[in-house]
Amino acid sequence: MELGTIKHRLTHDFQLTVLTLLGTVALAGLTPFALLRAINGQWGPFAFDASIEVVILGGVIGAWRSRDTRGLSLFVAYFLGLMAGSAVHVIGAPGEYWLYPAIIANFFFVDRRHALGIAVMALAIALFADDGSRPGIAVALYSVTTIVCALFGYAFAYRVAMQRGQLEGLASRDGLTGLFNRRTLIDELTR
């Protein structure tokens, strides 16, 4: 693929850009943990990290090849939510911290209603298999901060969608007459 084509796709497909960034971050951020776990013989957490990397990178490669960024982004988002919720059980208490970036990332590349549902699902998974060893206040704080994070993400995504609609309206109509502009006319004629 040529550099110009890559640049064009990254400029014009926001979901592909975010999915590619997520793949890069997953590769750079999870690989050291996976290698450390393999060196220490922690094969369960190693397999957990490796499966996250494989699915995310597979989603990135699939999106670049098929141009189906919406379907693959949705799959990766649900998988990421499932794994972030399960991280507490596989990795232990430090796994809780992975839920926050997963929540925020999902609001960037899937519809806000899906992202909110994924956040609730991930929190439920994280809380479902709680062995009761943590104090109730710690569980409550974790739940509240996760919900607040998801609600802020939802509010931000809602606001962005609203402003995008306003910008599209301004870009497609003449400011004086309110009629569709030349760009919209050419798009309609082409279609």
Side-chain angles (χ1 to χ4, degrees):
M1 191 176 290
E2 294 179 16
L3 186 60
T5 305
I6 292 170
K7 184 178 177 183
H8 180 267
R9 288 198 60 200
L10 289 174
T11 304
H12 290 85
D13 191 343
F14 182 71
Q15 284 181 319
L16 180 64
T17 303
V18 173
L19 195 57
T20 303
L21 177 63
L22 179 67
T24 304
V25 169
L27 192 61
L30 288 178
T31 301
F33 290 108
L35 291 175
L36 184 63
R37 290 183 175 117
I39 291 168
N40 292 331
Q42 299 171 329
W43 299 112
F46 167 76
F48 185 79
D49 289 344
S51 66
I52 292 172
E53 286 186 19
V54 166
V55 169
I56 291 174
L57 294 175
V60 171
I61 292 167
W64 276 97
R65 285 190 175 170
S66 73
R67 297 183 185 261
D68 176 24
T69 55
R70 291 180 196 258
L72 286 168
S73 292
L74 194 59
F75 172 76
V76 169
Y78 273 98
F79 178 79
L80 192 60
L82 174 70
M83 297 307 269
S86 303
V88 177
H89 310 296
V90 176
I91 300 170
E96 292 179 354
Y97 301 119
W98 287 108
L99 186 56
Y100 300 112
I103 288 172
I104 297 302
N106 285 340
F107 278 104
F108 277 98
F109 67 99
V110 297
D111 178 73
R112 65 184 178 273
R113 291 172 292 268
H114 280 288
L116 185 62
I118 293 167
V120 170
M121 173 199 73
L123 177 61
I125 292 169
L127 295 176
F128 177 70
D130 184 31
D131 61 2
S133 63
R134 295 186 302 166
I137 190 73
V139 173
L141 285 170
Y142 180 65
S143 300
V144 169
T145 56
T146 302
I147 291 167
V148 167
C149 182
L151 291 176
F152 277 131
Y154 185 88
F156 176 76
Y158 176 79
R159 182 76 173 163
V160 167
M162 186 178 70
Q163 288 175 339
R164 181 181 175 155
Q166 290 171 343
L167 287 172
E168 287 174 355
L170 290 171
S172 64
R173 295 194 177 268
D174 178 67
L176 180 62
T177 64
L179 298 173
F180 287 116
N181 62 18
R182 179 173 173 253
R183 177 181 292 142
T184 307
L185 176 65
I186 290 171
D187 289 345
E188 288 297 319
L189 288 173
T190 302
R191 195 174 348 176

